[in-house]
């Protein structure tokens, strides 16, 4: 009887890990993301946006978009859209990235999103909203001890 209990616990733990483990992101998607990043650095925003949209669709089909990698794709896509003056789409992408980052407790990603929102509102001369997002970023820096921010 004593041997059964540890065996059941081990099996339950194994099943829990198996059910909560996320499938690995396919290498092809990571390569597409890298290509989109290179295009973005070259200010080829339309091509980069097209690739990033393709990656996002695939991530959503695989139910992998609510991940750290998904946040990175959303952030880059928002940046590319902002550069192309598609501010509404950029805001939608940032909002989604923020929601996922909050769920995953990815505080640096939350901070980047707050700063990106501030930039969007500054560009559109909505200085009160810009100030609000900068204040949110400052608060996040204090509460989460984010004294430095590194891009992924």
């Amino acid at each position: 009887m004593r041997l059964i209990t540890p065996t059941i616990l081990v099996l339950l733990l194994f099943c829990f890990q198996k059910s909560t483990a996320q499938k690995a992101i396919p290498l092809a998607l990571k390569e597409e993301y890298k290509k989109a990043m290179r295009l973005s650095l070259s200010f080829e925003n339309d091509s980069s946006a097209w690739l990033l949209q393709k990656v996002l669709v695939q991530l959503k089909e695989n139910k992998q978009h609510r991940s750290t990698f998904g946040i990175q794709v959303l952030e880059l896509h928002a940046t590319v859209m902002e550069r192309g003056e598609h501010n509404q789409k950029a805001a939608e992408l940032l909002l989604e990235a923020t929601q996922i980052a909050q769920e995953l407790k990815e505080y640096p990603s939350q901070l980047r999103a707050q700063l990106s929102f501030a930039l969007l509102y500054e560009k559109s001369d909505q200085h009160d909203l810009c100030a609000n997002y900068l204040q949110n970023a400052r608060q996040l820096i204090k509460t989460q001890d984010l004294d430095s921010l590194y891009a992924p």
Side-chain angles (χ1 to χ4, degrees), residues 22-26 29 59-60 62-67 70:
Q22 194 174 67
K23 294 185 290 186
I25 305 294
L29 289 182
L59 285 173
K60 288 180 180 183
N62 295 343
K63 298 188 182 343
Q64 295 176 309
H65 65 289
R66 300 188 92 66
S67 63

Side-chain angles (χ1 to χ4, degrees), residues 88-123:
Q88 181 62 39
K89 180 66 176 175
E92 291 169 11
L93 293 164
L94 285 173
L95 182 60
E96 186 176 356
T98 300
Q99 291 168 343
I100 296 169
Q102 287 173 341
E103 288 173 19
L104 299 179
K105 297 187 183 342
E106 289 280 342
Y107 300 115
S109 295
Q110 289 180 41
L111 178 57
R112 283 191 297 272
Q114 295 296 311
L115 294 172
S116 294
F117 270 122
L119 175 64
L120 280 175
Y121 287 118
E122 180 188 29
K123 283 179 55 177

Side-chain angles (χ1 to χ4, degrees), residues 123-139:
K123 283 179 55 177
S124 62
D125 290 327
Q126 296 180 24
H127 301 291
D128 290 343
L129 287 172
C130 174
N132 287 344
Y133 278 99
L134 288 174
Q135 185 58 39
N136 291 346
R138 177 179 290 165
Q139 189 63 31

